[in-house]
Amino acid sequence: MPKATDVLKRLVLGRAVRSERLQETLLSKRLALPIFASDPLSSVAYATQEILLVLTLGGLAYLHFAPWIAAMVVLLLTVVVLSYRQVVHAYPNGGGSYEVVSVNLGPSAGLVVAASLMVDYVMTVAVSVASGVDNILSALPQLTEHRVLLAVGFVALLTAMNLRGVRESGRAFAAPTYLFIGSVLIMVGTGLVRYVLGDAPVAESAAYGIEPDDGSADLAGMALVMLVLRAFSSGCTALTGVEAISNGVPAFRRPKSRNAANTLAVMGALAVTMFVGITTLALISKVHITDDACRLTGFHGDCGSLHQRTVIAQLAAAVFGGEHSVGFYVIQAATALILILAANTAFNGFPLLASILARHRYLPRQMHNRGDRLVFSNGILALAIVAGLLLWGFKADVTSLIHLYILGVFTSFTLSQAGMVRHWNRELRTLRDPVRRRHHNLIRALNTVGACVTGSVLVIVLASKFTQGAWLAILATVVLWVVMRGIHRHYDAVSAELAVTDPCVELAPPSRILAIVLVSTVHKPTLRALAYARAFKPDRLEALTVAVDRDDTRILERQWQDLGTDVPLRVLDSPYREITRPVVNYVRSIRRESPRDVFAVFIPEYVVGHWWENLLHNQSALWLKSRLLFTSGVMVISVPWQLESSARADRPVPSAPGAVRRGHPSSRHRH
């Protein structure tokens, strides 16, 4: 009868999938769009809001910069999308920015990109879920006190869905993604038609003024430039997740590169359309939003308890006829769903990247293991744990989290575009066809522009957000880079140490085999260990015990004599009642006397059926093994004796997701 935990696991994850069915998990463009592009598509729900929140630090006087900032964001998004279309064609085996930079700029630079992206994927989950919870609270403010619990609960739900497999999560997330796209386009279209017909929608905050923040009034010169640049860097959150498709090219159906590039183009077109539409509608309807409601003028009431609705919520209410209209609730539900599901981009990108890094020996090899449903389960679980802790630590507050965001994205953007420039330089050295040379020169120019523009944005982001929390993201990236370098050095050192240098020496048999059986009392496990040791036909065999209690030792010696065995029993004195130290010292001493001999230490152990029984047995054996394993030339052999409780518990051992599986054989080649 299956255990309750096994039943629960099957309910959550579904049945295990055979490795041969990996090809069946490949994605069509229809499913790939919601899986890989939900993050950049959802970013339009708050990118406009982030621009307005920064500009209103100076009151309403600087909102006229919003269209120009939005235009720059659109231009940058277009350049990045076009650039990444070249990446998926040039590097169709996945890895995206990490692969491009590693190949063209070197492993250290590639590791900078990998560390930046991994930090950004964690931030994507945290910011997306927190933003989704914000939109839920805009419609249901009575749930505000449960903000953190809701956020962590949604992370757990996303984790469970992704552990079921890529196709299953894609099917579950496709409907909300397409609902969001359709509902936003309908809202924008309806609002613009009303504006053209002379019935422009008016936001609920249009009647409020906003007092400038302290020190932000009457800005001029560099102060004004910094305000605009800060607003631009906040609006660049619309670009987050663009690189995810380039990381996940192997997950597409054939032809992989073309399908990935087409999906990338569709994603870019939709993101630009929705971002421009929401920004235009926000300016038409005069949305006035601030991070401190007490700076609102014309508001009568307790500003301390006022939580302004998000920009998209105000637009939905204005366009569809109020906060109780069907359209308002549809937009809020769709926005909350897409923002929460936007984290799914990270749940696909992070495990894939971690798997590649593990294959390149920069992360523990367990990250390359596939779970029951052929997904990289360990990467999914690691991402969920870190993101959940981040949400808990920052109380799921979007404003606090957003400052840690997008830094990694623009680091990878900049370095990947620079890497592509070097890639095309290398291609052009050997290319003679004039038509293809013109094509490559054009693409190289595009990548050059992309590198310069995204590099400039990276500098702006660093300058404007460093003191507001971006330094934490930088610190996390540096720490992760150092850790991954350390892991790589460890694996390289172990490989060098284990490499066969002289097969004749390595295969040379030992001079003698000396066997020792550890004895605590005469019982069945001891006799089995003794019989097993005899089967090895060692050159010398002896039993070994430690005299912790003199009376017990004398009883053991009499029992041993009664056995009538020819195996001598050696008694080690232990005046301080230790067991481990005398045994280890004895083994090491005879090892020093006979360095060319091999020593086999046989330890009888109980096999129990309940976890709590391990607390009652095998503790001395565990300590002995842990010490003897560090002694060169000593083989530690456990001889199990199964107690009755283990027979009752004899059933297939359930494995943790990805615990004992490796990546599919077809995916093990280095890219």
Side-chain angles (χ1 to χ4, degrees):
M1 182 177 178
K3 293 193 299 185
T5 53
D6 296 342
V7 174
L8 179 62
K9 179 182 176 182
R10 293 279 74 87
L11 286 174
V12 175
L13 302 185
R15 292 182 178 274
V17 179
R18 295 177 63 88
S19 298
E20 293 79 4
R21 296 182 59 188
L22 181 63
Q23 293 297 320
E24 299 176 18
T25 66
L26 297 181
L27 302 171
S28 64
K29 295 189 291 292
R30 178 179 57 83
L31 285 179
L33 183 68
I35 288 175
F36 288 112
S38 55
D39 181 19
L41 290 178
S42 69
S43 297
V44 302
Y46 55 83
T48 299
Q49 176 170 310
E50 293 305 316
I51 293 174
L52 297 181
L53 282 172
V54 175
L55 291 177
T56 54
L57 289 174
L60 301 179
Y62 304 111
L63 287 180
H64 64 277
F65 287 111
W68 300 103
I69 294 171
M72 289 300 297
V73 171
V74 168
L75 177 62
L76 181 60
L77 178 58
T78 303
V79 170
V80 170
V81 168
L82 291 175
S83 299
Y84 270 103
R85 278 175 56 85
Q86 308 310 317
V87 170
V88 300
H89 285 296
Y91 294 89
N93 292 322
S97 299
Y98 164 70
E99 191 73 16
V100 171
V101 176
S102 295
V103 171
N104 296 288
L105 301 181
S108 293
L111 211 57
V112 170
V113 170
S116 300
L117 283 176
M118 293 180 78
V119 171
D120 197 73
Y121 280 137
V122 173
M123 295 308 307
T124 295
V125 175
V127 172
S128 298
V129 170
S131 298
V133 170
D134 258 5
N135 277 271
I136 292 174
L137 299 180
S138 290
L140 301 169
Q142 61 269 27
L143 297 177
T144 300
E145 63 183 40
H146 303 296
R147 176 190 297 271
V148 176
L149 182 61
L150 286 170
V152 174
F154 282 125
V155 170
L157 178 62
L158 287 167
T159 303
M161 290 300 300
N162 279 279
L163 287 174
R164 290 187 66 89
V166 176
R167 285 182 64 88
E168 283 72 11
S169 64
R171 291 191 184 100
F173 300 157
T177 303
Y178 288 118
L179 173 64
F180 174 74
I181 294 170
S183 59
V184 167
L185 292 178
I186 290 173
M187 180 186 73
V188 170
T190 303
L192 293 179
V193 168
R194 286 182 56 183
Y195 173 71
V196 171
L197 296 178
D199 181 27
V202 179
E204 63 186 37
S205 60
Y208 301 148
I210 299 179
E211 293 181 354
D213 192 30
D214 294 339
S216 299
D218 300 324
L219 296 176
M222 283 304 300
L224 180 58
V225 170
M226 288 304 299
L227 180 72
V228 173
L229 290 179
R230 182 177 165 189
F232 173 63
S233 66
S234 293
C236 286
T237 53
L239 279 73
T240 56
V242 170
E243 81 292 338
I245 291 178
S246 67
N247 291 335
V249 176
F252 282 81
R253 289 178 180 172
R254 299 181 185 276
K256 295 178 181 290
S257 293
R258 189 174 70 185
N259 287 337
N262 291 341
T263 304
L264 193 56
V266 171
M267 179 271 296
L270 287 171
V272 166
T273 301
M274 291 191 292
F275 174 67
V276 170
I278 290 174
T279 303
T280 302
L281 206 56
L283 296 174
I284 288 173
S285 61
K286 295 181 172 52
V287 173
H288 297 160
I289 190 168
T290 174
D291 56 0
D292 181 6
C294 291
R295 288 172 44 220
L296 294 174
T297 60
F299 171 73
H300 302 289
D302 181 13
C303 64
S305 62
L306 175 65
H307 182 73
Q308 272 194 290
R309 286 193 175 93
T310 59
V311 167
I312 201 166
Q314 293 191 43
L315 293 180
V319 169
F320 294 119
E323 61 185 60
H324 298 296
S325 61
V326 174
F328 171 80
Y329 282 107
V330 170
I331 287 287
Q332 287 305 100
T335 303
L337 282 172
I338 189 63
L339 284 169
I340 293 170
L341 299 183
N344 195 57
T345 297
F347 272 105
N348 284 277
F350 183 97
L352 282 170
L353 179 59
S355 169
I356 293 171
L357 289 168
R359 194 168 65 246
H360 294 177
R361 302 192 299 188
Y362 285 111
L363 285 178
R365 289 172 181 169
Q366 291 87 342
M367 289 295 182
H368 187 51
N369 299 349
R370 291 185 183 270
D372 286 352
R373 304 290 293 180
L374 294 178
V375 293
F376 298 110
S377 305
N378 291 327
I380 293 172
L381 293 172
L383 174 62
I385 291 169
V386 177
L389 291 173
L390 201 62
L391 285 165
W392 176 77
F394 283 85
K395 302 188 185 303
D397 181 55
V398 178
T399 304
S400 300
L401 291 166
I402 202 74
H403 297 305
L404 283 69
Y405 204 23
I406 80 171
L407 187 69
V409 168
F410 280 97
T411 301
S412 66
F413 284 171
T414 303
L415 291 177
S416 68
Q417 298 312 304
M420 287 302 293
V421 171
R422 178 167 288 188
H423 167 81
W424 297 123
N425 287 340
R426 188 170 59 249
E427 292 285 317
L428 286 166
R429 290 193 195 103
T430 59
L431 193 61
R432 296 290 178 263
D433 184 359
V435 175
R436 293 186 64 191
R437 283 186 66 86
R438 283 196 299 272
H439 178 260
H440 283 22
N441 277 315
L442 179 62
I443 297 173
R444 182 177 63 175
L446 176 65
N447 290 135
T448 302
V449 172
C452 294
V453 173
T454 54
S456 301
V457 174
L458 177 60
V459 173
I460 293 169
V461 171
L462 281 172
S464 61
K465 294 195 173 187
F466 184 83
T467 58
Q468 297 176 333
W471 66 271
L472 283 172
I474 297 173
L475 178 62
T477 301
V478 171
V479 169
L480 189 56
W481 186 87
V482 171
V483 169
M484 288 194 291
R485 285 291 297 266
I487 291 172
H488 191 70
R489 281 196 300 270
H490 169 77
Y491 279 135
D492 283 349
V494 170
S495 295
E497 184 178 344
L498 300 182
V500 176
T501 54
D502 189 343
C504 293
V505 174
E506 304 294 341
L507 292 173
S511 300
R512 294 186 305 165
I513 298 177
L514 308 180
I516 297 173
V517 178
L518 298 184
V519 177
S520 60
T521 186
V522 175
H523 53 15
K524 290 180 180 179
T526 298
L527 299 183
R528 173 178 288 184
L530 190 62
Y532 192 63
R534 284 182 183 277
F536 273 68
K537 297 182 179 179
D539 296 284
R540 180 176 127 196
L541 173 62
E542 68 178 19
L544 186 68
T545 189
V546 180
V548 176
D549 183 285
R550 279 295 170 189
D551 293 336
D552 290 342
T553 303
R554 282 193 289 269
I555 294 172
L556 175 61
E557 288 176 319
R558 285 198 300 270
Q559 291 176 336
W560 197 260
Q561 289 177 353
D562 293 342
L563 280 177
T565 178
D566 59 349
V567 177
L569 175 67
R570 181 179 294 273
V571 179
L572 301 179
D573 190 33
S574 180
Y576 297 103
R577 299 161 303 284
E578 291 183 287
I579 296 177
T580 304
R581 189 187 300 272
V583 172
V584 172
N585 289 342
Y586 174 72
V587 172
R588 287 177 177 174
S589 66
I590 59 176
R591 167 69 180 155
R592 284 193 297 269
E593 295 171 3
S594 307
R596 296 189 59 193
D597 296 344
V598 168
F599 294 83
V601 179
F602 295 82
I603 304 178
E605 286 191 64
Y606 302 133
V607 178
V608 298
H610 305 99
W611 65 268
W612 53 266
E613 289 180 286
N614 279 311
L615 302 176
L616 307 178
H617 303 286
N618 298 325
Q619 298 307 305
S620 297
L622 181 64
W623 280 106
L624 276 167
K625 283 196 295 184
S626 65
R627 293 291 302 277
L628 289 171
L629 287 173
F630 286 97
T631 305
S632 176
V634 175
M635 312 301 156
V636 182
I637 302 170
S638 296
V639 182
W641 180 271
Q642 292 80 10
L643 297 178
E644 287 187 7
S645 62
S646 67
R648 291 194 296 269
D650 185 18
R651 59 173 65 92
V653 180
S655 58
V660 294
R661 299 169 178 84
R662 296 292 181 264
H664 192 265
S666 64
S667 66
R668 288 183 182 176
H669 58 280
R670 284 180 69 101
H671 298 311

